[in-house]
Amino acid sequence: MNITEIKERGLEFEQLGRLPQDILEFIYEQKLFKLFTANELGGKNLDLVEGIKVFQQIAALDGNVGWLVTIGTGGNAFIPAFSQEMCERIFSPKEAVIAGSGYPTGIAIKVEGGYVVTGQWKYCSGSDYATTFTMNCLIEQNGMKTENIISCSLDRQDVEVLHDWRAMGLKATASHTIRVNNVWIPQEATFQIGTIRNNYGNSVHTFPFTTFAEASFLSVCLGITENLLEEAFILIKQRNHAANRTERMGALQFLFMQQQKHFKQCEQQFYTTLSGYWQKHQQDQSLTEEELMQFTQMSKEIAAACIEIANKLIRNLGMDAITETSRLNRIWRNLYTAAQHGFLTP
């Protein structure tokens, strides 16, 4: 399959409500869910900035695919936290991919040798093809619910997927709710981010997790905005050929150039900052609290700028902007949905 084919099939993905099998096969072949996975586990073992650029490149083809590659690769962050045996079992298969939630909306009752888990977790992107699910639970011990959180991993067959994803965009991400009812999890299937229990980790896995997540989701927004700018340019060019109102077309072209310039500035700021942070991390220099907060603020501001760029163009692009099946409208809805993630909202 040619990678540019992804761009042509966005409407198909949206109407299907998930990625077709041939697209998933392409992702497995290209190891796109394993960008930060060790070579020994069948991964590409990229460095942080390389991987983040791949997220943007894929999202520039289609927001759904970009989002799912980003979420799937995000599960690589848990690699160091499992025993070697568990790690190999979860991450080695070619189709291995994690879906799940970081919100502690489940209960894990402590029993001998592990936990009994019950709960429901929303927004588990990729839930229709995930091989492993991860979820956070509050621990209940001796009949008392505590504030302590445990992260759990479960095989697909132990998890019920509720097909309830109804967002206006990213419709093919299968970001459904999952449900687990009284399932026993052995101690070895639980984990804590930040602990190192095997040798498969790399320096991406020790990079601050929140900053990693912010960079990941922002790169998807940048990719979708890039796609929107391309589509807007095509429409403006088409109108130029058909229009008699040269004054209006000149104003529209000027507006486009302004927004494109603004986008390039945001993109450059993001990658310059991220590269600087990554370089420090590789030199074993800790990032300060202030630097982490600055990155959070920048991520939110650039996500807001992406929305603003899109809206300024949308207001000037007529019926294509509001026709649900048009490519422009689909890209716009995907951007709004991606930018609504908790890491990027004000």
Side-chain angles (χ1 to χ4, degrees):
M1 192 191 92
N2 189 326
I3 195 164
T4 53
E5 199 184 307
I6 291 172
K7 200 171 210 166
E8 303 307 313
R9 294 175 64 187
L11 184 59
E12 177 199 337
F13 304 158
E14 178 162 296
Q15 290 172 340
L16 200 58
R18 57 184 168 77
L19 295 189
Q21 193 57 37
D22 67 319
I23 298 293
L24 282 172
E25 292 298 338
F26 175 78
I27 289 171
Y28 302 144
E29 286 297 329
Q30 299 297 314
K31 304 180 180 181
L32 293 176
F33 288 142
K34 294 189 173 200
L35 298 181
F36 302 130
T37 305
N39 303 131
E40 299 94 316
L41 297 170
K44 290 178 86 94
N45 206 30
L46 296 185
D47 95 353
L48 179 69
V49 181
E50 285 176 319
I52 294 288
K53 284 181 175 173
V54 173
F55 296 161
Q56 181 177 340
Q57 286 159 7
I58 303 292
L61 297 171
D62 181 81
N64 290 288
V65 185
W67 182 265
L68 287 171
V69 163
T70 303
I71 291 283
T73 296
N76 298 178
F78 309 145
I79 283 173
F82 289 100
S83 69
Q84 182 168 331
E85 192 184 341
M86 278 296 289
C87 180
E88 287 168 1
R89 190 167 79 76
I90 292 172
F91 293 98
S92 288
K94 185 181 169 187
E95 295 85 9
V97 63
I98 286 175
S101 169
Y103 293 103
T105 52
I107 298 292
I109 301 170
K110 185 79 182 97
V111 294
E112 194 179 336
Y115 297 86
V116 173
V117 170
T118 298
Q120 251 182 227
W121 295 265
K122 285 179 156 183
Y123 314 132
C124 301
S125 300
S127 57
D128 59 356
Y129 55 75
T131 52
T132 301
F133 287 91
T134 59
M135 64 283 294
N136 280 345
C137 299
L138 293 169
I139 297 174
E140 186 180 302
Q141 204 156 5
N142 305 322
M144 297 285 289
K145 192 161 86 170
T146 70
E147 293 300 305
N148 298 329
I149 293 173
I150 185 87
S151 300
C152 307
S153 66
L154 273 173
D155 291 338
R156 179 168 195 91
Q157 67 265 21
D158 295 319
V159 177
E160 182 188 359
V161 176
L162 311 178
H163 291 88
D164 61 352
W165 176 238
R166 298 285 181 271
M168 71 172 187
L170 298 180
K171 289 176 179 287
T173 58
S175 300
H176 303 305
T177 298
I178 59 168
R179 183 158 63 197
V180 172
N181 192 23
N182 276 333
V183 174
W184 182 72
I185 296 182
Q187 185 73 44
E188 64 171 12
T190 66
F191 64 99
Q192 264 175 325
I193 289 183
T195 56
I196 297 174
R197 294 168 66 192
N198 61 62
N199 297 319
Y200 290 123
N202 60 31
S203 47
V204 173
H205 301 129
T206 53
F207 192 74
F209 182 74
T210 299
T211 310
F212 168 78
E214 288 163 347
S216 298
F217 294 129
L218 184 57
S219 67
V220 175
C221 291
L222 287 169
I224 300 173
T225 308
E226 189 183 326
N227 193 5
L228 188 135
L229 283 161
E230 287 170 12
E231 191 58 28
F233 181 71
I234 291 165
L235 288 170
I236 291 166
K237 218 160 79 166
Q238 285 169 353
R239 288 213 188 159
N240 225 346
H241 290 307
N244 302 321
R245 296 174 296 172
T246 46
E247 193 181 311
R248 165 144 174 75
M249 288 317 297
L252 190 52
Q253 282 171 327
F254 180 68
L255 174 72
F256 174 80
M257 283 160 65
Q258 275 183 316
Q259 301 318 307
Q260 191 176 43
K261 184 182 175 187
H262 189 190
F263 172 75
K264 287 291 178 197
Q265 286 167 340
C266 290
E267 186 183 44
Q268 187 178 4
Q269 183 192 2
F270 170 60
Y271 282 110
T272 302
T273 307
L274 182 65
S275 299
Y277 280 31
W278 177 239
Q279 206 170 355
K280 271 190 84 168
H281 178 68
Q282 285 182 301
Q283 291 163 356
D284 289 330
Q285 296 175 40
S286 291
L287 294 163
T288 65
E289 275 304 310
E290 192 186 351
E291 284 173 321
L292 298 178
M293 282 170 63
Q294 281 172 351
F295 196 90
T296 296
Q297 188 58 31
M298 179 195 73
S299 299
K300 291 175 186 295
E301 285 171 3
I302 292 178
C306 287
I307 293 285
E308 192 187 337
I309 288 164
N311 285 347
K312 282 184 173 169
L313 290 166
I314 286 282
R315 286 290 290 145
N316 289 276
L317 288 169
M319 293 302 289
D320 281 293
I322 57 157
T323 306
E324 274 193 11
T325 51
S326 79
R327 190 178 287 186
L328 181 72
N329 182 272
R330 191 172 66 251
I331 297 166
W332 182 60
R333 286 185 285 107
N334 286 344
L335 175 61
Y336 251 86
T337 307
Q340 205 66 13
H341 193 282
F343 277 123
L344 299 178
T345 47

PDB file of all heavy atoms in Angstrom, residues 84-98:
ATOM      1  N   GLN A  84      10.639  -8.751  32.739  1.00  0.00           N
ATOM      2  CA  GLN A  84      11.087  -9.078  31.383  1.00  0.00           C
ATOM      3  C   GLN A  84      10.114 -10.030  30.684  1.00  0.00           C
ATOM      4  O   GLN A  84       9.745  -9.826  29.528  1.00  0.00           O
ATOM      5  CB  GLN A  84      12.489  -9.696  31.416  1.00  0.00           C
ATOM      6  CG  GLN A  84      13.003 -10.015  30.010  1.00  0.00           C
ATOM      7  CD  GLN A  84      14.477 -10.351  29.991  1.00  0.00           C
ATOM      8  OE1 GLN A  84      15.233  -9.889  30.819  1.00  0.00           O
ATOM      9  NE2 GLN A  84      14.888 -11.150  29.015  1.00  0.00           N
ATOM     10  N   GLU A  85       9.659 -11.036  31.420  1.00  0.00           N
ATOM     11  CA  GLU A  85       8.759 -12.037  30.837  1.00  0.00           C
ATOM     12  C   GLU A  85       7.432 -11.406  30.405  1.00  0.00           C
ATOM     13  O   GLU A  85       6.959 -11.624  29.293  1.00  0.00           O
ATOM     14  CB  GLU A  85       8.511 -13.141  31.879  1.00  0.00           C
ATOM     15  CG  GLU A  85       7.832 -14.369  31.305  1.00  0.00           C
ATOM     16  CD  GLU A  85       7.515 -15.391  32.401  1.00  0.00           C
ATOM     17  OE1 GLU A  85       8.124 -15.325  33.494  1.00  0.00           O
ATOM     18  OE2 GLU A  85       6.644 -16.233  32.149  1.00  0.00           O
ATOM     19  N   MET A  86       6.833 -10.590  31.284  1.00  0.00           N
ATOM     20  CA  MET A  86       5.563  -9.919  30.963  1.00  0.00           C
ATOM     21  C   MET A  86       5.745  -8.944  29.804  1.00  0.00           C
ATOM     22  O   MET A  86       4.905  -8.862  28.906  1.00  0.00           O
ATOM     23  CB  MET A  86       5.041  -9.163  32.189  1.00  0.00           C
ATOM     24  CG  MET A  86       4.289 -10.000  33.189  1.00  0.00           C
ATOM     25  SD  MET A  86       2.759 -10.726  32.556  1.00  0.00           S
ATOM     26  CE  MET A  86       1.708  -9.288  32.429  1.00  0.00           C
ATOM     27  N   CYS A  87       6.864  -8.223  29.834  1.00  0.00           N
ATOM     28  CA  CYS A  87       7.160  -7.249  28.787  1.00  0.00           C
ATOM     29  C   CYS A  87       7.221  -7.926  27.416  1.00  0.00           C
ATOM     30  O   CYS A  87       6.620  -7.462  26.450  1.00  0.00           O
ATOM     31  CB  CYS A  87       8.477  -6.547  29.113  1.00  0.00           C
ATOM     32  SG  CYS A  87       8.949  -5.321  27.897  1.00  0.00           S
ATOM     33  N   GLU A  88       7.925  -9.048  27.358  1.00  0.00           N
ATOM     34  CA  GLU A  88       8.054  -9.782  26.080  1.00  0.00           C
ATOM     35  C   GLU A  88       6.697 -10.311  25.623  1.00  0.00           C
ATOM     36  O   GLU A  88       6.381 -10.274  24.431  1.00  0.00           O
ATOM     37  CB  GLU A  88       9.065 -10.915  26.238  1.00  0.00           C
ATOM     38  CG  GLU A  88      10.502 -10.396  26.317  1.00  0.00           C
ATOM     39  CD  GLU A  88      11.516 -11.441  26.769  1.00  0.00           C
ATOM     40  OE1 GLU A  88      11.111 -12.609  27.010  1.00  0.00           O
ATOM     41  OE2 GLU A  88      12.710 -11.084  26.902  1.00  0.00           O
ATOM     42  N   ARG A  89       5.884 -10.766  26.574  1.00  0.00           N
ATOM     43  CA  ARG A  89       4.571 -11.313  26.214  1.00  0.00           C
ATOM     44  C   ARG A  89       3.647 -10.225  25.667  1.00  0.00           C
ATOM     45  O   ARG A  89       2.944 -10.429  24.681  1.00  0.00           O
ATOM     46  CB  ARG A  89       3.937 -11.960  27.452  1.00  0.00           C
ATOM     47  CG  ARG A  89       2.698 -12.776  27.146  1.00  0.00           C
ATOM     48  CD  ARG A  89       2.311 -13.639  28.334  1.00  0.00           C
ATOM     49  NE  ARG A  89       1.622 -12.898  29.370  1.00  0.00           N
ATOM     50  CZ  ARG A  89       0.336 -12.518  29.289  1.00  0.00           C
ATOM     51  NH1 ARG A  89      -0.384 -12.818  28.217  1.00  0.00           N
ATOM     52  NH2 ARG A  89      -0.223 -11.848  30.271  1.00  0.00           N
ATOM     53  N   ILE A  90       3.694  -9.039  26.288  1.00  0.00           N
ATOM     54  CA  ILE A  90       2.791  -7.951  25.884  1.00  0.00           C
ATOM     55  C   ILE A  90       3.250  -7.258  24.603  1.00  0.00           C
ATOM     56  O   ILE A  90       2.441  -6.957  23.725  1.00  0.00           O
ATOM     57  CB  ILE A  90       2.650  -6.910  27.029  1.00  0.00           C
ATOM     58  CG1 ILE A  90       1.887  -7.529  28.210  1.00  0.00           C
ATOM     59  CG2 ILE A  90       1.943  -5.645  26.551  1.00  0.00           C
ATOM     60  CD1 ILE A  90       1.875  -6.653  29.463  1.00  0.00           C
ATOM     61  N   PHE A  91       4.569  -7.007  24.489  1.00  0.00           N
ATOM     62  CA  PHE A  91       5.055  -6.118  23.427  1.00  0.00           C
ATOM     63  C   PHE A  91       5.677  -6.815  22.216  1.00  0.00           C
ATOM     64  O   PHE A  91       5.849  -6.178  21.178  1.00  0.00           O
ATOM     65  CB  PHE A  91       6.049  -5.102  24.005  1.00  0.00           C
ATOM     66  CG  PHE A  91       5.427  -4.118  24.947  1.00  0.00           C
ATOM     67  CD1 PHE A  91       5.486  -4.302  26.324  1.00  0.00           C
ATOM     68  CD2 PHE A  91       4.744  -3.006  24.464  1.00  0.00           C
ATOM     69  CE1 PHE A  91       4.902  -3.403  27.200  1.00  0.00           C
ATOM     70  CE2 PHE A  91       4.156  -2.097  25.326  1.00  0.00           C
ATOM     71  CZ  PHE A  91       4.221  -2.294  26.707  1.00  0.00           C
ATOM     72  N   SER A  92       6.029  -8.103  22.322  1.00  0.00           N
ATOM     73  CA  SER A  92       6.711  -8.772  21.205  1.00  0.00           C
ATOM     74  C   SER A  92       5.850  -9.028  19.966  1.00  0.00           C
ATOM     75  O   SER A  92       6.333  -8.906  18.847  1.00  0.00           O
ATOM     76  CB  SER A  92       7.327 -10.097  21.656  1.00  0.00           C
ATOM     77  OG  SER A  92       8.442  -9.840  22.467  1.00  0.00           O
ATOM     78  N   PRO A  93       4.569  -9.438  20.115  1.00  0.00           N
ATOM     79  CA  PRO A  93       3.796  -9.761  18.912  1.00  0.00           C
ATOM     80  C   PRO A  93       3.758  -8.611  17.909  1.00  0.00           C
ATOM     81  O   PRO A  93       3.767  -7.434  18.298  1.00  0.00           O
ATOM     82  CB  PRO A  93       2.394 -10.051  19.466  1.00  0.00           C
ATOM     83  CG  PRO A  93       2.608 -10.453  20.880  1.00  0.00           C
ATOM     84  CD  PRO A  93       3.777  -9.634  21.340  1.00  0.00           C
ATOM     85  N   LYS A  94       3.725  -8.962  16.655  1.00  0.00           N
ATOM     86  CA  LYS A  94       3.719  -7.957  15.577  1.00  0.00           C
ATOM     87  C   LYS A  94       2.537  -6.988  15.720  1.00  0.00           C
ATOM     88  O   LYS A  94       2.649  -5.795  15.473  1.00  0.00           O
ATOM     89  CB  LYS A  94       3.643  -8.693  14.235  1.00  0.00           C
ATOM     90  CG  LYS A  94       3.736  -7.804  13.023  1.00  0.00           C
ATOM     91  CD  LYS A  94       3.622  -8.638  11.758  1.00  0.00           C
ATOM     92  CE  LYS A  94       3.434  -7.753  10.539  1.00  0.00           C
ATOM     93  NZ  LYS A  94       3.146  -8.542   9.330  1.00  0.00           N
ATOM     94  N   GLU A  95       1.385  -7.525  16.135  1.00  0.00           N
ATOM     95  CA  GLU A  95       0.160  -6.704  16.241  1.00  0.00           C
ATOM     96  C   GLU A  95       0.009  -6.056  17.617  1.00  0.00           C
ATOM     97  O   GLU A  95      -1.029  -5.468  17.916  1.00  0.00           O
ATOM     98  CB  GLU A  95      -1.090  -7.563  15.977  1.00  0.00           C
ATOM     99  CG  GLU A  95      -1.209  -8.132  14.580  1.00  0.00           C
ATOM    100  CD  GLU A  95      -0.444  -9.446  14.412  1.00  0.00           C
ATOM    101  OE1 GLU A  95       0.028  -9.986  15.447  1.00  0.00           O
ATOM    102  OE2 GLU A  95      -0.311  -9.902  13.266  1.00  0.00           O
ATOM    103  N   ALA A  96       1.031  -6.182  18.471  1.00  0.00           N
ATOM    104  CA  ALA A  96       0.910  -5.700  19.857  1.00  0.00           C
ATOM    105  C   ALA A  96       0.587  -4.210  19.911  1.00  0.00           C
ATOM    106  O   ALA A  96       1.281  -3.400  19.303  1.00  0.00           O
ATOM    107  CB  ALA A  96       2.203  -5.979  20.616  1.00  0.00           C
ATOM    108  N   VAL A  97      -0.468  -3.878  20.630  1.00  0.00           N
ATOM    109  CA  VAL A  97      -0.796  -2.462  20.853  1.00  0.00           C
ATOM    110  C   VAL A  97      -1.673  -2.363  22.099  1.00  0.00           C
ATOM    111  O   VAL A  97      -2.525  -3.212  22.356  1.00  0.00           O
ATOM    112  CB  VAL A  97      -1.481  -1.817  19.623  1.00  0.00           C
ATOM    113  CG1 VAL A  97      -2.822  -2.452  19.302  1.00  0.00           C
ATOM    114  CG2 VAL A  97      -1.641  -0.321  19.800  1.00  0.00           C
ATOM    115  N   ILE A  98      -1.424  -1.325  22.883  1.00  0.00           N
ATOM    116  CA  ILE A  98      -2.165  -1.097  24.124  1.00  0.00           C
ATOM    117  C   ILE A  98      -3.212  -0.009  23.908  1.00  0.00           C
ATOM    118  O   ILE A  98      -2.954   0.998  23.260  1.00  0.00           O
ATOM    119  CB  ILE A  98      -1.195  -0.677  25.247  1.00  0.00           C
ATOM    120  CG1 ILE A  98      -0.385  -1.894  25.721  1.00  0.00           C
ATOM    121  CG2 ILE A  98      -1.931  -0.052  26.433  1.00  0.00           C
ATOM    122  CD1 ILE A  98       0.678  -1.564  26.747  1.00  0.00           C
TER     123      ILE A  98
END
